[in-house]
Structures are given as structure tokens and as C-alpha cells.
Amino acid sequence: MLKAGYAQLSRLLNAIANWRYFKPAVFAGCTVPALMLGWKFWHDQLGVDPLKTLLHDSGENALGMLFAALSVTPIRRVFKVNGIQKVRRMLGVWAFFYALAHVCIYLGLDQLCYSFETCEFRAIVNDVLKRKFIFMGMIAFSIMTLLAITSTSGWVRRLKKRWQTLHRLVYVAAISAVIHFVWIQKSDISEPLQWAGWLTLLLAIRVYLSIQKRWATPPRLADRA
Ligand code: HEM
């Protein structure tokens, strides 16, 4: 029964991932949160505190895209859906795009840093040092920037095996982003805890799969000697 359900789900996921328009459809899906935010902005539907809404929505979208990118490999390996891999880089770049929008909203609207004259660099540095959640967000954003820059095929070729090691930093970015979210909350941390639960599940699957792979690989002759 469980096996049949698994096989059916795996077939369904493979059919979706191998669909001709899968990649354009995912791309179109990634634009929806930005369009919705633009719509709210344009129609004055950002609520009583528009800046808070803009920061909340852009931050959640960045987190959502980051976690979607992180979920690709576990889904591929657990359900044997190789076709899904082709959207991983795109999801990562979209995560960076939403994080960049989030940081621009913070700099432009919260810190009023939209021109050289209005930018108070010392105030921004003070804010980063004073509010620890901002510092954590900055760590997440710096890693995401590094990963977005090195996500091109040229960098994959240049860094060879080190590329994979570098891109494992995505987990550090995700952990920092969740801590950033937890530290913002004043009392109710149920929302960031849901993200933390998802991240724990993804990490557990990755650890399990790597242990399984190590066990399945026969030891090299040198190791046996
Ligand atoms: C330099 C980097 C960053 C800065 C300066 C920053 C700043 C902020 C600020 C000022 C808020 C609003 C806090 C409040 O409502 O009082 C916020 C909210 C949020 N940020 Fe960031 N952030 C950064 C990076 C990130 C990154 C990389 C992510 C996710 C990948 C993220 C996710 C979130 C989320 C989900 C919220 C919503 C929290 C809520 O409204 O409940 N942030 N951020």
C-alpha cells in the first residue's frame, strides 16, 4: 500500500518535471509574489504600515524561494525525479532576487538611503550592530550574494570540486535567515518555527542520503589495506 502510493507519487512528479513547459511554468510561478506585491503597492493595499508589509512579504518570498531551491535535491533523490534538477539554479537566483528587493526596501524606505545625500552610512552600521536580527539577515544575504555570483557555468568550471563545497553554504544562509526571522518576533515565534521545522527535515534527509551513499560505496583498495 505504502509502496504503491510512493510509486504513484514518483510517477506523478516525474510527469510534472518532464513536462515540456515545466521550466517556463516554474519561472512564471516565481514572478507571482513580485506581481502580487506590485499590485498591492499600486492599489494602496499595503495596510496601516506599508513598510512593514513590504519588508514582511519580500522577506517571506526570499525565504520561500530559498527553501524551494533547497528542497529540489531531496525531492530528486527521495522520489527519483531527475528532471526536477533543471529548476534548482533558477529557484536560487529568484531567492537572491527577492532577498535583494528586501534589502533595497530596508535601505531605501527604512534607512532613507535612496541617494548619496540622504544615505547615513554610520546610522546603517549602527543599526546592523545594534539590532542583532539585522546582523543575522546580513550574513544570510552576503552568502546568498556569493552563491548567486558563483552560480554560473563559468564558475562551476573554474571552481571544479570546490564549487559544491562552497554551495553547501546555502544551508548556513538558510539557518541565518531563520534565526533572523525568529529574532524579529517579539512573542509568537510559531511562523519562523515552521520554517525551522522544514529546514530540519531537509537537513535530516540530506544526512540520511549521504550516510546511505557512503554505505553503498565499496571501500577503495587503499582503505582496505
Ligand atoms: C542585509 C540583509 C537584511 C536586512 C537588513 C533585513 C532587514 C529586515 C527588516 C528591517 C525586517 C522587518 C523587521 C520588523 O518587522 O520589525 C525584516 C523582516 C524579514 N526578513 Fe529580513 N533582512 C535582511 C535579510 C533577509 C534575508 C536574506 C531573508 C530571507 C532569505 C530575510 C527574511 C525576512 C523575513 C521572512 C522577514 C519578515 C519578518 C516579519 O515581518 O515577521 N531577511 N528584515
PDB file of all heavy atoms in Angstrom, residues 52 55-56 59-60 62-63 66 99 102-103 106 110 131 133-134 137-138 140-141 144 177 180-181 184-186 191, ligand 1:
ATOM      1  N   LYS A  52       6.244  47.845   6.781  1.00  0.00           N
ATOM      2  CA  LYS A  52       6.266  46.536   7.448  1.00  0.00           C
ATOM      3  C   LYS A  52       5.774  45.440   6.498  1.00  0.00           C
ATOM      4  O   LYS A  52       6.369  44.365   6.406  1.00  0.00           O
ATOM      5  CB  LYS A  52       5.392  46.593   8.711  1.00  0.00           C
ATOM      6  CG  LYS A  52       5.785  45.547   9.740  1.00  0.00           C
ATOM      7  CD  LYS A  52       5.036  45.762  11.041  1.00  0.00           C
ATOM      8  CE  LYS A  52       5.222  44.622  11.992  1.00  0.00           C
ATOM      9  NZ  LYS A  52       6.578  44.401  12.442  1.00  0.00           N
ATOM     10  N   LEU A  55       8.418  44.775   3.822  1.00  0.00           N
ATOM     11  CA  LEU A  55       9.549  44.005   4.363  1.00  0.00           C
ATOM     12  C   LEU A  55       9.131  42.568   4.654  1.00  0.00           C
ATOM     13  O   LEU A  55       9.866  41.624   4.338  1.00  0.00           O
ATOM     14  CB  LEU A  55      10.071  44.664   5.644  1.00  0.00           C
ATOM     15  CG  LEU A  55      11.002  45.850   5.454  1.00  0.00           C
ATOM     16  CD1 LEU A  55      11.240  46.563   6.772  1.00  0.00           C
ATOM     17  CD2 LEU A  55      12.342  45.423   4.858  1.00  0.00           C
ATOM     18  N   HIS A  56       7.932  42.414   5.232  1.00  0.00           N
ATOM     19  CA  HIS A  56       7.463  41.064   5.574  1.00  0.00           C
ATOM     20  C   HIS A  56       7.288  40.226   4.314  1.00  0.00           C
ATOM     21  O   HIS A  56       7.817  39.114   4.217  1.00  0.00           O
ATOM     22  CB  HIS A  56       6.142  41.140   6.350  1.00  0.00           C
ATOM     23  CG  HIS A  56       5.613  39.793   6.725  1.00  0.00           C
ATOM     24  ND1 HIS A  56       5.977  39.152   7.882  1.00  0.00           N
ATOM     25  CD2 HIS A  56       4.791  38.933   6.075  1.00  0.00           C
ATOM     26  CE1 HIS A  56       5.389  37.974   7.938  1.00  0.00           C
ATOM     27  NE2 HIS A  56       4.659  37.820   6.845  1.00  0.00           N
ATOM     28  N   GLY A  59      10.605  39.522   2.452  1.00  0.00           N
ATOM     29  CA  GLY A  59      11.424  38.596   3.261  1.00  0.00           C
ATOM     30  C   GLY A  59      10.888  37.182   3.196  1.00  0.00           C
ATOM     31  O   GLY A  59      11.642  36.226   2.984  1.00  0.00           O
ATOM     32  N   GLU A  60       9.564  37.041   3.306  1.00  0.00           N
ATOM     33  CA  GLU A  60       8.967  35.689   3.248  1.00  0.00           C
ATOM     34  C   GLU A  60       9.147  35.072   1.866  1.00  0.00           C
ATOM     35  O   GLU A  60       9.371  33.867   1.748  1.00  0.00           O
ATOM     36  CB  GLU A  60       7.486  35.763   3.601  1.00  0.00           C
ATOM     37  CG  GLU A  60       7.255  35.880   5.088  1.00  0.00           C
ATOM     38  CD  GLU A  60       6.304  34.828   5.622  1.00  0.00           C
ATOM     39  OE1 GLU A  60       5.258  34.652   5.011  1.00  0.00           O
ATOM     40  OE2 GLU A  60       6.626  34.205   6.652  1.00  0.00           O
ATOM     41  N   ALA A  62      11.621  35.672  -0.210  1.00  0.00           N
ATOM     42  CA  ALA A  62      13.032  35.268  -0.326  1.00  0.00           C
ATOM     43  C   ALA A  62      13.241  33.924   0.375  1.00  0.00           C
ATOM     44  O   ALA A  62      13.881  33.008  -0.165  1.00  0.00           O
ATOM     45  CB  ALA A  62      13.932  36.334   0.295  1.00  0.00           C
ATOM     46  N   LEU A  63      12.648  33.805   1.567  1.00  0.00           N
ATOM     47  CA  LEU A  63      12.790  32.570   2.341  1.00  0.00           C
ATOM     48  C   LEU A  63      12.123  31.396   1.601  1.00  0.00           C
ATOM     49  O   LEU A  63      12.686  30.297   1.506  1.00  0.00           O
ATOM     50  CB  LEU A  63      12.118  32.784   3.704  1.00  0.00           C
ATOM     51  CG  LEU A  63      12.653  32.008   4.896  1.00  0.00           C
ATOM     52  CD1 LEU A  63      14.135  32.180   5.065  1.00  0.00           C
ATOM     53  CD2 LEU A  63      11.929  32.445   6.167  1.00  0.00           C
ATOM     54  N   LEU A  66      14.228  30.348  -1.337  1.00  0.00           N
ATOM     55  CA  LEU A  66      15.453  29.691  -0.857  1.00  0.00           C
ATOM     56  C   LEU A  66      15.149  28.245  -0.447  1.00  0.00           C
ATOM     57  O   LEU A  66      15.876  27.312  -0.789  1.00  0.00           O
ATOM     58  CB  LEU A  66      16.008  30.489   0.330  1.00  0.00           C
ATOM     59  CG  LEU A  66      17.318  30.013   0.941  1.00  0.00           C
ATOM     60  CD1 LEU A  66      18.445  30.138  -0.086  1.00  0.00           C
ATOM     61  CD2 LEU A  66      17.686  30.847   2.172  1.00  0.00           C
ATOM     62  N   ALA A  99      15.580  38.505  -2.035  1.00  0.00           N
ATOM     63  CA  ALA A  99      16.388  38.986  -0.902  1.00  0.00           C
ATOM     64  C   ALA A  99      16.940  40.382  -1.222  1.00  0.00           C
ATOM     65  O   ALA A  99      16.970  41.263  -0.361  1.00  0.00           O
ATOM     66  CB  ALA A  99      17.513  38.003  -0.604  1.00  0.00           C
ATOM     67  N   HIS A 102      14.262  42.870  -0.819  1.00  0.00           N
ATOM     68  CA  HIS A 102      14.049  43.036   0.622  1.00  0.00           C
ATOM     69  C   HIS A 102      15.084  44.020   1.208  1.00  0.00           C
ATOM     70  O   HIS A 102      14.745  44.950   1.933  1.00  0.00           O
ATOM     71  CB  HIS A 102      14.177  41.652   1.244  1.00  0.00           C
ATOM     72  CG  HIS A 102      13.995  41.557   2.716  1.00  0.00           C
ATOM     73  ND1 HIS A 102      12.792  41.766   3.337  1.00  0.00           N
ATOM     74  CD2 HIS A 102      14.875  41.235   3.706  1.00  0.00           C
ATOM     75  CE1 HIS A 102      12.936  41.580   4.633  1.00  0.00           C
ATOM     76  NE2 HIS A 102      14.191  41.262   4.887  1.00  0.00           N
ATOM     77  N   VAL A 103      16.346  43.818   0.840  1.00  0.00           N
ATOM     78  CA  VAL A 103      17.421  44.674   1.364  1.00  0.00           C
ATOM     79  C   VAL A 103      17.282  46.099   0.802  1.00  0.00           C
ATOM     80  O   VAL A 103      17.487  47.086   1.518  1.00  0.00           O
ATOM     81  CB  VAL A 103      18.814  44.060   1.040  1.00  0.00           C
ATOM     82  CG1 VAL A 103      19.931  45.003   1.433  1.00  0.00           C
ATOM     83  CG2 VAL A 103      18.981  42.723   1.756  1.00  0.00           C
ATOM     84  N   TYR A 106      14.659  47.848   2.714  1.00  0.00           N
ATOM     85  CA  TYR A 106      15.206  48.252   4.023  1.00  0.00           C
ATOM     86  C   TYR A 106      16.070  49.511   3.865  1.00  0.00           C
ATOM     87  O   TYR A 106      15.893  50.490   4.593  1.00  0.00           O
ATOM     88  CB  TYR A 106      16.026  47.093   4.618  1.00  0.00           C
ATOM     89  CG  TYR A 106      16.945  47.515   5.745  1.00  0.00           C
ATOM     90  CD1 TYR A 106      16.432  47.787   7.016  1.00  0.00           C
ATOM     91  CD2 TYR A 106      18.313  47.662   5.534  1.00  0.00           C
ATOM     92  CE1 TYR A 106      17.275  48.189   8.044  1.00  0.00           C
ATOM     93  CE2 TYR A 106      19.155  48.057   6.552  1.00  0.00           C
ATOM     94  CZ  TYR A 106      18.644  48.322   7.805  1.00  0.00           C
ATOM     95  OH  TYR A 106      19.462  48.729   8.820  1.00  0.00           O
ATOM     96  N   ASP A 110      13.438  52.243   4.879  1.00  0.00           N
ATOM     97  CA  ASP A 110      13.625  52.250   6.332  1.00  0.00           C
ATOM     98  C   ASP A 110      14.757  53.197   6.704  1.00  0.00           C
ATOM     99  O   ASP A 110      14.641  54.004   7.629  1.00  0.00           O
ATOM    100  CB  ASP A 110      13.920  50.817   6.808  1.00  0.00           C
ATOM    101  CG  ASP A 110      13.820  50.674   8.320  1.00  0.00           C
ATOM    102  OD1 ASP A 110      12.848  51.200   8.883  1.00  0.00           O
ATOM    103  OD2 ASP A 110      14.716  50.063   8.928  1.00  0.00           O
ATOM    104  N   ARG A 131      20.868  46.115  16.245  1.00  0.00           N
ATOM    105  CA  ARG A 131      19.773  45.135  16.160  1.00  0.00           C
ATOM    106  C   ARG A 131      20.346  43.829  15.627  1.00  0.00           C
ATOM    107  O   ARG A 131      20.682  43.723  14.442  1.00  0.00           O
ATOM    108  CB  ARG A 131      18.667  45.670  15.246  1.00  0.00           C
ATOM    109  CG  ARG A 131      18.028  46.932  15.815  1.00  0.00           C
ATOM    110  CD  ARG A 131      16.675  47.179  15.216  1.00  0.00           C
ATOM    111  NE  ARG A 131      16.731  47.752  13.874  1.00  0.00           N
ATOM    112  CZ  ARG A 131      15.658  47.961  13.124  1.00  0.00           C
ATOM    113  NH1 ARG A 131      14.462  47.632  13.570  1.00  0.00           N
ATOM    114  NH2 ARG A 131      15.774  48.488  11.922  1.00  0.00           N
ATOM    115  N   PHE A 133      19.148  41.051  14.849  1.00  0.00           N
ATOM    116  CA  PHE A 133      18.480  40.335  13.754  1.00  0.00           C
ATOM    117  C   PHE A 133      18.913  40.879  12.393  1.00  0.00           C
ATOM    118  O   PHE A 133      18.982  40.148  11.408  1.00  0.00           O
ATOM    119  CB  PHE A 133      16.949  40.338  13.925  1.00  0.00           C
ATOM    120  CG  PHE A 133      16.262  41.632  13.550  1.00  0.00           C
ATOM    121  CD1 PHE A 133      15.894  41.881  12.230  1.00  0.00           C
ATOM    122  CD2 PHE A 133      15.970  42.587  14.508  1.00  0.00           C
ATOM    123  CE1 PHE A 133      15.249  43.058  11.878  1.00  0.00           C
ATOM    124  CE2 PHE A 133      15.337  43.768  14.160  1.00  0.00           C
ATOM    125  CZ  PHE A 133      14.984  44.013  12.837  1.00  0.00           C
ATOM    126  N   ILE A 134      19.267  42.183  12.354  1.00  0.00           N
ATOM    127  CA  ILE A 134      19.734  42.777  11.091  1.00  0.00           C
ATOM    128  C   ILE A 134      21.089  42.171  10.738  1.00  0.00           C
ATOM    129  O   ILE A 134      21.365  41.834   9.586  1.00  0.00           O
ATOM    130  CB  ILE A 134      19.880  44.323  11.224  1.00  0.00           C
ATOM    131  CG1 ILE A 134      18.543  44.966  11.587  1.00  0.00           C
ATOM    132  CG2 ILE A 134      20.497  44.942   9.977  1.00  0.00           C
ATOM    133  CD1 ILE A 134      17.726  45.487  10.457  1.00  0.00           C
ATOM    134  N   GLY A 137      20.506  38.808   9.279  1.00  0.00           N
ATOM    135  CA  GLY A 137      19.986  38.936   7.910  1.00  0.00           C
ATOM    136  C   GLY A 137      21.116  39.253   6.950  1.00  0.00           C
ATOM    137  O   GLY A 137      21.157  38.739   5.827  1.00  0.00           O
ATOM    138  N   MET A 138      22.062  40.084   7.434  1.00  0.00           N
ATOM    139  CA  MET A 138      23.177  40.464   6.572  1.00  0.00           C
ATOM    140  C   MET A 138      24.071  39.257   6.250  1.00  0.00           C
ATOM    141  O   MET A 138      24.560  39.123   5.130  1.00  0.00           O
ATOM    142  CB  MET A 138      23.999  41.547   7.262  1.00  0.00           C
ATOM    143  CG  MET A 138      24.562  42.548   6.311  1.00  0.00           C
ATOM    144  SD  MET A 138      25.556  43.710   7.200  1.00  0.00           S
ATOM    145  CE  MET A 138      26.922  42.714   7.703  1.00  0.00           C
ATOM    146  N   ALA A 140      23.034  36.146   6.065  1.00  0.00           N
ATOM    147  CA  ALA A 140      22.286  35.345   5.083  1.00  0.00           C
ATOM    148  C   ALA A 140      22.403  35.985   3.700  1.00  0.00           C
ATOM    149  O   ALA A 140      22.678  35.295   2.709  1.00  0.00           O
ATOM    150  CB  ALA A 140      20.822  35.252   5.501  1.00  0.00           C
ATOM    151  N   PHE A 141      22.231  37.301   3.653  1.00  0.00           N
ATOM    152  CA  PHE A 141      22.255  37.982   2.354  1.00  0.00           C
ATOM    153  C   PHE A 141      23.649  37.927   1.716  1.00  0.00           C
ATOM    154  O   PHE A 141      23.766  37.736   0.500  1.00  0.00           O
ATOM    155  CB  PHE A 141      21.788  39.434   2.514  1.00  0.00           C
ATOM    156  CG  PHE A 141      21.721  40.164   1.208  1.00  0.00           C
ATOM    157  CD1 PHE A 141      20.797  39.785   0.240  1.00  0.00           C
ATOM    158  CD2 PHE A 141      22.577  41.212   0.923  1.00  0.00           C
ATOM    159  CE1 PHE A 141      20.743  40.434  -0.989  1.00  0.00           C
ATOM    160  CE2 PHE A 141      22.536  41.865  -0.292  1.00  0.00           C
ATOM    161  CZ  PHE A 141      21.610  41.479  -1.252  1.00  0.00           C
ATOM    162  N   MET A 144      24.068  34.548   0.214  1.00  0.00           N
ATOM    163  CA  MET A 144      23.234  34.390  -0.979  1.00  0.00           C
ATOM    164  C   MET A 144      23.827  35.152  -2.170  1.00  0.00           C
ATOM    165  O   MET A 144      23.750  34.701  -3.309  1.00  0.00           O
ATOM    166  CB  MET A 144      21.805  34.866  -0.688  1.00  0.00           C
ATOM    167  CG  MET A 144      21.048  33.898   0.200  1.00  0.00           C
ATOM    168  SD  MET A 144      19.476  34.558   0.773  1.00  0.00           S
ATOM    169  CE  MET A 144      18.466  34.331  -0.674  1.00  0.00           C
ATOM    170  N   ALA A 177      18.924  32.942   7.981  1.00  0.00           N
ATOM    171  CA  ALA A 177      17.665  33.618   7.625  1.00  0.00           C
ATOM    172  C   ALA A 177      16.559  33.233   8.621  1.00  0.00           C
ATOM    173  O   ALA A 177      15.760  34.093   9.022  1.00  0.00           O
ATOM    174  CB  ALA A 177      17.251  33.254   6.202  1.00  0.00           C
ATOM    175  N   HIS A 180      17.249  35.061  11.820  1.00  0.00           N
ATOM    176  CA  HIS A 180      16.867  36.461  11.558  1.00  0.00           C
ATOM    177  C   HIS A 180      15.360  36.621  11.808  1.00  0.00           C
ATOM    178  O   HIS A 180      14.921  37.538  12.500  1.00  0.00           O
ATOM    179  CB  HIS A 180      17.245  36.751  10.099  1.00  0.00           C
ATOM    180  CG  HIS A 180      16.715  38.015   9.491  1.00  0.00           C
ATOM    181  ND1 HIS A 180      17.116  39.265   9.884  1.00  0.00           N
ATOM    182  CD2 HIS A 180      15.823  38.216   8.475  1.00  0.00           C
ATOM    183  CE1 HIS A 180      16.507  40.174   9.140  1.00  0.00           C
ATOM    184  NE2 HIS A 180      15.712  39.561   8.287  1.00  0.00           N
ATOM    185  N   PHE A 181      14.584  35.697  11.269  1.00  0.00           N
ATOM    186  CA  PHE A 181      13.125  35.730  11.386  1.00  0.00           C
ATOM    187  C   PHE A 181      12.701  35.525  12.860  1.00  0.00           C
ATOM    188  O   PHE A 181      11.846  36.253  13.383  1.00  0.00           O
ATOM    189  CB  PHE A 181      12.546  34.629  10.489  1.00  0.00           C
ATOM    190  CG  PHE A 181      11.093  34.781  10.129  1.00  0.00           C
ATOM    191  CD1 PHE A 181      10.512  33.962   9.163  1.00  0.00           C
ATOM    192  CD2 PHE A 181      10.282  35.731  10.736  1.00  0.00           C
ATOM    193  CE1 PHE A 181       9.174  34.081   8.814  1.00  0.00           C
ATOM    194  CE2 PHE A 181       8.938  35.858  10.394  1.00  0.00           C
ATOM    195  CZ  PHE A 181       8.386  35.023   9.437  1.00  0.00           C
ATOM    196  N   ILE A 184      13.280  38.596  15.040  1.00  0.00           N
ATOM    197  CA  ILE A 184      12.407  39.747  14.778  1.00  0.00           C
ATOM    198  C   ILE A 184      11.152  39.661  15.642  1.00  0.00           C
ATOM    199  O   ILE A 184      10.640  40.667  16.117  1.00  0.00           O
ATOM    200  CB  ILE A 184      12.002  39.781  13.279  1.00  0.00           C
ATOM    201  CG1 ILE A 184      13.195  40.189  12.412  1.00  0.00           C
ATOM    202  CG2 ILE A 184      10.833  40.739  13.042  1.00  0.00           C
ATOM    203  CD1 ILE A 184      12.995  39.948  10.944  1.00  0.00           C
ATOM    204  N   GLN A 185      10.681  38.426  15.843  1.00  0.00           N
ATOM    205  CA  GLN A 185       9.412  38.243  16.553  1.00  0.00           C
ATOM    206  C   GLN A 185       9.533  38.649  18.023  1.00  0.00           C
ATOM    207  O   GLN A 185      10.514  38.323  18.674  1.00  0.00           O
ATOM    208  CB  GLN A 185       8.954  36.768  16.474  1.00  0.00           C
ATOM    209  CG  GLN A 185       8.907  36.207  15.067  1.00  0.00           C
ATOM    210  CD  GLN A 185       8.079  37.050  14.112  1.00  0.00           C
ATOM    211  OE1 GLN A 185       6.983  37.470  14.429  1.00  0.00           O
ATOM    212  NE2 GLN A 185       8.632  37.313  12.937  1.00  0.00           N
ATOM    213  N   LYS A 186       8.470  39.320  18.472  1.00  0.00           N
ATOM    214  CA  LYS A 186       8.515  39.767  19.872  1.00  0.00           C
ATOM    215  C   LYS A 186       7.969  38.700  20.808  1.00  0.00           C
ATOM    216  O   LYS A 186       8.441  38.509  21.899  1.00  0.00           O
ATOM    217  CB  LYS A 186       7.741  41.073  20.022  1.00  0.00           C
ATOM    218  CG  LYS A 186       8.531  42.136  19.271  1.00  0.00           C
ATOM    219  CD  LYS A 186       8.057  43.521  19.392  1.00  0.00           C
ATOM    220  CE  LYS A 186       9.005  44.448  18.658  1.00  0.00           C
ATOM    221  NZ  LYS A 186       8.942  44.351  17.191  1.00  0.00           N
ATOM    222  N   GLU A 191       5.473  31.110  13.383  1.00  0.00           N
ATOM    223  CA  GLU A 191       5.727  31.162  11.937  1.00  0.00           C
ATOM    224  C   GLU A 191       7.183  30.782  11.607  1.00  0.00           C
ATOM    225  O   GLU A 191       7.421  29.866  10.814  1.00  0.00           O
ATOM    226  CB  GLU A 191       5.361  32.546  11.401  1.00  0.00           C
ATOM    227  CG  GLU A 191       4.872  32.496   9.962  1.00  0.00           C
ATOM    228  CD  GLU A 191       4.600  33.881   9.381  1.00  0.00           C
ATOM    229  OE1 GLU A 191       4.339  34.826  10.164  1.00  0.00           O
ATOM    230  OE2 GLU A 191       4.662  34.020   8.170  1.00  0.00           O
TER     231      GLU A 191
HETATM  232  C1  HEM B   1      21.128  42.769   4.884  1.00  0.00           C
HETATM  233  C2  HEM B   1      20.202  41.848   4.994  1.00  0.00           C
HETATM  234  C3  HEM B   1      18.844  42.034   5.648  1.00  0.00           C
HETATM  235  C4  HEM B   1      18.304  43.103   6.316  1.00  0.00           C
HETATM  236  C5  HEM B   1      18.965  44.436   6.597  1.00  0.00           C
HETATM  237  C6  HEM B   1      16.959  42.743   6.708  1.00  0.00           C
HETATM  238  C7  HEM B   1      16.093  43.568   7.412  1.00  0.00           C
HETATM  239  C8  HEM B   1      14.817  43.251   7.783  1.00  0.00           C
HETATM  240  C9  HEM B   1      13.915  44.119   8.498  1.00  0.00           C
HETATM  241  C10 HEM B   1      14.233  45.543   8.958  1.00  0.00           C
HETATM  242  C11 HEM B   1      12.750  43.448   8.675  1.00  0.00           C
HETATM  243  C12 HEM B   1      11.478  43.974   9.356  1.00  0.00           C
HETATM  244  C13 HEM B   1      11.547  43.740  10.843  1.00  0.00           C
HETATM  245  C14 HEM B   1      10.302  44.206  11.574  1.00  0.00           C
HETATM  246  O1  HEM B   1       9.192  43.954  11.108  1.00  0.00           O
HETATM  247  O2  HEM B   1      10.477  44.816  12.621  1.00  0.00           O
HETATM  248  C15 HEM B   1      12.906  42.148   8.074  1.00  0.00           C
HETATM  249  C16 HEM B   1      11.942  41.173   8.046  1.00  0.00           C
HETATM  250  C17 HEM B   1      12.100  39.931   7.471  1.00  0.00           C
HETATM  251  N1  HEM B   1      13.217  39.458   6.839  1.00  0.00           N
HETATM  252 FE1  HEM B   1      14.940  40.450   6.556  1.00  0.00          FE
HETATM  253  N2  HEM B   1      16.699  41.469   6.274  1.00  0.00           N
HETATM  254  C18 HEM B   1      17.813  41.003   5.615  1.00  0.00           C
HETATM  255  C19 HEM B   1      17.963  39.780   5.001  1.00  0.00           C
HETATM  256  C20 HEM B   1      16.985  38.829   4.929  1.00  0.00           C
HETATM  257  C21 HEM B   1      17.108  37.587   4.199  1.00  0.00           C
HETATM  258  C22 HEM B   1      18.329  37.173   3.384  1.00  0.00           C
HETATM  259  C23 HEM B   1      15.926  36.908   4.382  1.00  0.00           C
HETATM  260  C24 HEM B   1      15.495  35.583   3.842  1.00  0.00           C
HETATM  261  C25 HEM B   1      16.139  34.816   2.997  1.00  0.00           C
HETATM  262  C26 HEM B   1      15.060  37.713   5.236  1.00  0.00           C
HETATM  263  C27 HEM B   1      13.804  37.365   5.677  1.00  0.00           C
HETATM  264  C28 HEM B   1      12.962  38.171   6.407  1.00  0.00           C
HETATM  265  C29 HEM B   1      11.606  37.813   6.782  1.00  0.00           C
HETATM  266  C30 HEM B   1      10.921  36.485   6.497  1.00  0.00           C
HETATM  267  C31 HEM B   1      11.067  38.916   7.459  1.00  0.00           C
HETATM  268  C32 HEM B   1       9.641  39.044   7.977  1.00  0.00           C
HETATM  269  C33 HEM B   1       9.544  39.067   9.456  1.00  0.00           C
HETATM  270  C34 HEM B   1       8.177  39.554   9.896  1.00  0.00           C
HETATM  271  O3  HEM B   1       7.691  40.554   9.397  1.00  0.00           O
HETATM  272  O4  HEM B   1       7.583  38.885  10.733  1.00  0.00           O
HETATM  273  N3  HEM B   1      15.751  38.880   5.539  1.00  0.00           N
HETATM  274  N4  HEM B   1      14.177  42.044   7.547  1.00  0.00           N
END
